[in-house]
Amino acid sequence: MESTHPFLTAVAPGRPLAFAHRGGAADGDENTLAAFARATALGYRHLETDVHATSDGVAVLFHDATTERVLGQPGRVALLSWNDLASVRIDGAAVVPRLDELLDAWPDAYVNIDVKADDVVSRPWRHCARPVHSTA
């Protein structure tokens, strides 16, 4: 079945539609700008990410509800402010980007957003630098 929706247009007709899941998490860090940069450099134009909202309503790229697995410290994303998460570094690099940073960095990419919590839908879109269109 051939899709007519541009989001589902294959890069190479007849080939599978490849998504960089969490920015290509199999190659290391996940949901970071560095991960998405690697994926786009490899030719991916369909990106998948997960989004939570911080306590002050900023949409951030983060898979888990808690920070322990990725950041190595206890905490819940929904209970931390953006400033708290923005200050975290691993090997000197920022770890948790905002959704608008991803959208601004690759404006021509197709981004599949996995909304991880109800509070993401209720408030964070105001933090995006450009309109976001929902399919829901």
Side-chain angles (χ1 to χ4, degrees):
M1 174 185 220
E2 194 66 29
S3 171
T4 58
H5 194 286
F7 183 80
L8 298 175
T9 301
V11 174
R15 302 287 306 251
L17 182 60
F19 279 75
H21 183 249
R22 298 185 204 164
D27 290 329
D29 53 336
E30 64 182 50
N31 282 326
T32 64
L33 295 181
F36 289 106
R38 285 192 308 274
T40 57
L42 289 171
Y44 284 91
R45 69 177 204 178
H46 291 77
L47 309 175
E48 185 276 343
T49 191
D50 310 282
V51 177
H52 278 276
T54 61
S55 63
D56 48 347
V58 176
V60 295
L61 308 184
F62 211 83
H63 179 270
D64 302 352
T66 61
T67 58
E68 190 164 353
R69 180 180 67 85
V70 175
L71 303 180
Q73 52 190 307
R76 295 191 65 76
V77 175
L79 298 179
L80 297 169
S81 72
W82 165 242
N83 285 337
D84 293 334
L85 284 175
S87 67
V88 176
R89 300 283 186 270
I90 293 181
D91 295 330
V95 181
V96 183
R98 298 184 319 264
L99 175 59
D100 64 302
E101 292 176 307
L102 172 66
L103 298 175
D104 288 342
W106 295 279
D108 295 328
Y110 295 97
V111 181
N112 181 75
I113 301 170
D114 187 351
V115 175
K116 292 296 188 180
D118 291 341
D119 57 347
V120 174
V121 176
S122 64
R123 54 188 173 151
W125 302 122
R126 70 181 186 275
H127 294 281
C128 289
R130 61 189 170 123
V132 175
H133 302 283
S134 172
T135 59

